Amino acid sequence: MTESSIRYAAPGRINLIGEHTDYNLGFALPIALPQRTVVTFTPDRGDVITVGSDRAEGSVRIPLDTSPGDVLGWAGYVAGVIWALRQAGHRVPGGAMSITSDVEMGSGLSSSAALECAALGAIASAADVRIDRIEQARLAQRAENDYVGAPTGLLDQLASLFAEPATALLIDFRDLTVAPVVFDPDAHGVALLLIDSRARHRHAGGDYAARRASCERAAADLGASSLREVQDRGPSAVAAVTDPVDARRARHVLTENNRVLDLVAALGNTDFAAAGRIFTASHASMRDDFEITTEHIDLIADTAVRAGALGARMTGGGFGGCVIALVPTDWAEVVGRAVHRAVSDAGFEPPVITRTRAAAGAGPCG
């Protein structure tokens, strides 16, 4: 085990399409963001990791034998990684860890997975432990599910770990395969706008868990262990679901899986007009069938399209966060101004609008 400092970074992510499909063993198509969380870890021979963050005062001492419930708040994600690594039989050294990040928290950009993957990479590197990326994703997910208590799927961790520049990732959650898909709209006169509503959400709340439970009930009604098993039956299969709300939730998942594959085909043809229409259809499904958007988010997406975007959709788990829009480059400023004006006129906090791109995944940094 080295005693020198290790620096490891992991990015936030945008999910281009495929919302709430991961835990239903479906498809998704995320990219990594340029924004990253950087962990600097200096190991020692102690039995505690002391963690500090540029976003919090003071530090948190995490015993290496920590258990779920011991550490709450932002440090719980680091504690969860320590716990998951040790549960899997990996050696974890004590030491001091400092965290810096420009991944916005609560915006649906997966700041939690960025922290988990960066902390895991730093600890594993310091302990000279080699863990393949699929297993890293599983360990980070276990930290979030079983230690923090947020019932998320694997999308965020896989996106953070496997991402490449100018590339989206087609993830099949049934087979746990990750395939690269060229995604470089800038090269074709199209901008990807990231519109942060400034409305924050929390995955550990009940809404996310309720959607997951609804999907599980729908699958059970259809005699399946997951909704992926009935994908080939088409959206009409949901007619056999007993509860009408569960049926709508299932319909979103089945149609969203189709939209992921349709978007991959559109990108393969560099057809960004078709890609935009798929974005907008996905947003309608999240709004009407899965019911995870908000009036605020809907206003942003609808305004962007009316102002000239090829398409727009919420990205992330829902109930706040960000909207993404594909916009002809020459129209980007017009769309941005229209969204700012509409949101301000409605009495909401002004959004933060940036152009973004697909960036590299997790790894050591100098």
Side-chain angles (χ1 to χ4, degrees), residues 284-303:
S285 181
M286 290 187 288
R287 179 192 65 215
D288 300 335
D289 280 347
F290 222 63
E291 297 182 286
I292 54 172
T293 69
T294 65
E295 177 187 356
H296 188 174
I297 292 291
D298 292 340
L299 175 64
I300 291 172
D302 294 346
T303 301

Side-chain angles (χ1 to χ4, degrees), residues 22-37:
D22 53 354
Y23 56 79
N24 288 294
L25 304 187
F27 301 102
L29 192 72
I31 62 172
L33 288 168
Q35 289 81 7
R36 306 171 81 75
T37 293

Side-chain angles (χ1 to χ4, degrees), residues 157 239 335:
Q157 293 85 3
V335 170

